[in-house]
Amino acid sequence: MNLSENIGQLTPFIIMVVAPLLLIVIISIKRNHLFSWLYTLLTFLLVAITALLAMENPLAEIPLFALDKFTYFYTILFSSAGFLIVLTSYRYFENRTEQKDEFYVLLVMATLGSSALVASRNFVSLFLSLEVLSVSLYALIAYLRKNELGIEAGIKYLVLAAMSSSFLLFGIALIYLETGTMDFGILAESLGPNLSVWILGGFALIIAGAGFKLSVAPFHWWTPDVYQGASSPVTSFIATISKGGMVGVIIRLFSSVKGYEYPSLVISISIIAIASMFTGNILALLQNNIKRLLAYSSISHLGYILVAFLAIPQNGAEAATFYLVAYFITTIGAFGIITILSDQDGEPESLDEYKGMFWKKPWLAACFSLVIFSLAGIPLTAGFLGKFYVASAGAGAGLWILLTVLVINSVIGVYYYLRVITTMFSTEKNEKTLPDLKLLSGAGLALLIIALAIIWLGILPSGIIELITRSTF
Amino acid sequence: MSQIPVHYAMLLAAILFAIGLIGVLSRRNIILMLMSVEIMLNAAGLAFIIAGSRWLQPDGQVMFIFILAMAAAEVSVGLALIVQMYQQHKTLDVNSINKMKG
């Protein structure tokens, strides 16, 4: 490949590499939170625009990375998500006494890792991008170092993530031992109709490693603790961009090796999907901490996405991607509102602090209700169409057991989501004062974009569906 | 020169991996847990070298160097976190810092 001819295809990635390095240099000369904030917003905006332009002409062939429409679609998704997360978190960090600027450096680097992960078409690049993502995340989770829970969450995540990386690596090594290749395309050709014990073991270890990143049951134990301990903008990042990268690369791997043709893989993924849907929803019923509740709800959402994986021959990749878009918007909205409601003393984590919020902040409460409706999958929101799309792909592939479980779990889910909403409307006295939100601030703008996007995806999804159909396999 | 059969070598890697895994699960001192994770990562690295030598490709060794570099990065962040943890809690025992449950 000629670099000078294909510079346009590489620009989004070059920006994500150069921008954080440049920001480190700028920070070492002079710290200015407002500047770092605007700089990062501009970085994400530029990445999204250049990726959109590169999408028109995605022909570059390089050995380790596939720069195709799928990659660019996910890169646009991640950079827009990063844009919204940064937009909501200015005042959150302004209220903190820690140094603020390095947060933005780490955030862009982690987004680079996630985008490169989706672009990977070789286990070597998969591993490297996963580690760029993970190592940035260790530091991000423990970023507010005066917060004891942050350090605890960081250490838990570090030990478990390193352990899951070694599972993933050992699995890759087993597959490499048997097939002699680490490239997804060549691997697909060298796998016969019957998988040997070594390859099955390899896939099992890879599923364990990837399942940790996706936080699906039974690899989900870190999720509630890390969600609670990390600061809300970081939690939002872990819930969306970090999991999205893994979903992207697993779709690529699964559809290139045609994993849905091997009964053993299908059965193990079905069991994981069913276990995640039930564990997530049932444990969420017991929670009184909103961040832990959202953690368990994310476990069940990833379970729904796994259902779409098994339907890859029947536009499952489109369904998973659409579900991911809807999940991204609503999750960033939910954590964005928690971020906005945080003050110097900390974050409003307990559900009690939301009592009567509607009577004090009607607009914010309405936004939160919309987000919760979308998470629950109530019609006319993005979440409903996502679930509908997944269910129709699953029905096309004849996955009736999984669909039954999905429907049962949607009903269980509605119960605890509605509990959050009734809390906001309760008329009990609550002395807690909530911080003001100006519409013309970054956070107000972000909430407006999120609310409009949820309704737009829920009512007029055809534009985005067409874009997804053109960019998936 | 007679060659060691590949599957014997893989067995060694698997045993090392299991030792590391048992270490992570049973140890409660955070530094020893990090060391056990390093054993697991190196076991995976050894498996790559074995696989690479089976196919006479350099890829396995390249992968091992990547693993070493990544493990170093991970440990440096890990040790920084441990220093913070020790300053806050005056202990290296992970059970005593475990505050979040449920």
Side-chain angles (χ1 to χ4, degrees), chain A residues 138 145 152 156 176-177 296, chain B residues 55 57 74 88 97-98:
Chain A
Y138 305 149
R145 57 197 164 81
E152 181 189 339
K156 277 182 178 169
Y176 178 49
L177 179 77
Y296 284 114
Chain B
W55 299 101
Q57 289 169 353
E74 209 157 61
Q88 282 179 3
I97 65 157
N98 194 3

Side-chain angles (χ1 to χ4, degrees), chain A residues 131 138 142 145 148 151-152 155-156 158 162-163 166 169 174 176-178 180 225 228 287 292 296, chain B residues 6 10 24 30 37 40 48 51 54-55 57 59 70 74 78 81 85 88 97-102:
Chain A
E131 290 310 322
Y138 305 149
R145 57 197 164 81
E148 289 191 0
I151 300 285
E152 181 189 339
I155 286 181
K156 277 182 178 169
L158 175 96
M163 204 167 95
S166 55
L169 281 171
L174 283 179
Y176 178 49
L177 179 77
E178 279 298 288
D225 289 356
Q228 187 189 348
Q287 293 304 322
R292 294 181 85 87
Y296 284 114
Chain B
V6 164
M10 278 311 276
V24 181
I30 182 67
V37 168
M40 289 173 76
F48 270 108
R54 176 177 178 182
W55 299 101
Q57 289 169 353
D59 302 30
M70 163 268 187
E74 209 157 61
L81 286 184
M85 170 183 155
Q88 282 179 3
I97 65 157
N98 194 3
K99 296 223 171 57
M100 290 181 285
K101 290 198 178 78

Side-chain angles (χ1 to χ4, degrees), chain B residues 39-79:
Chain B
I39 296 177
M40 289 173 76
L41 285 173
N42 282 325
L46 180 62
F48 270 108
I49 291 180
I50 297 160
S53 78
R54 176 177 178 182
W55 299 101
L56 300 176
Q57 289 169 353
D59 302 30
Q61 292 171 37
V62 171
M63 201 61 185
F64 182 68
I65 291 175
F66 280 145
I67 294 174
L68 278 188
M70 163 268 187
E74 209 157 61
V75 164
S76 59
V77 179
L79 289 176

Side-chain angles (χ1 to χ4, degrees), chain A residues 209-267:
Chain A
F212 170 85
K213 269 278 159 212
L214 297 178
S215 79
V216 288
F219 314 106
H220 66 280
W221 295 108
W222 58 275
T223 321
D225 289 356
V226 170
Y227 271 47
Q228 187 189 348
S231 53
S232 286
V234 176
T235 313
S236 178
F237 185 92
I238 301 166
T240 55
I241 301 179
S242 149
K243 289 185 187 175
M246 206 41 161
V247 169
V249 75
I250 294 287
I251 291 177
R252 187 187 290 283
L253 174 63
F254 211 63
S255 52
S256 72
V257 303
K258 297 195 171 46
Y260 43 81
E261 287 178 0
Y262 300 104
S264 45
L265 292 183
V266 171
I267 290 171

Side-chain angles (χ1 to χ4, degrees), chain A residues 407-427:
Chain A
V407 171
I408 294 172
N409 274 287
S410 305
V411 177
I412 304 176
V414 168
Y415 174 76
Y416 64 82
Y417 289 128
L418 287 184
R419 199 159 58 103
V420 178
I421 292 180
T422 49
T423 314
M424 283 195 291
F425 282 85
S426 91
T427 46

Side-chain angles (χ1 to χ4, degrees), chain A residues 11-12 15 40-52 79 83:
Chain A
T11 319
I15 294 174
T40 315
L41 285 179
L42 187 69
T43 307
F44 279 129
L45 206 60
L46 275 178
V47 171
I49 292 170
T50 48
L52 200 63
S79 49
F83 183 82

Side-chain angles (χ1 to χ4, degrees), chain A residues 398-453:
Chain A
L399 307 165
W400 298 112
I401 301 174
L402 281 171
L403 286 186
T404 320
V405 175
L406 196 153
V407 171
I408 294 172
N409 274 287
S410 305
V411 177
I412 304 176
V414 168
Y415 174 76
Y416 64 82
Y417 289 128
L418 287 184
R419 199 159 58 103
V420 178
I421 292 180
T422 49
T423 314
M424 283 195 291
F425 282 85
S426 91
T427 46
E428 274 178 64
K429 277 267 177 289
N430 181 357
E431 296 305 317
K432 182 162 169 75
T433 50
L434 299 169
D436 281 324
L437 172 72
K438 294 190 190 73
L439 184 65
L440 285 174
S441 64
L445 193 65
L447 271 194
L448 191 68
I449 297 173
I450 289 165
L452 289 178

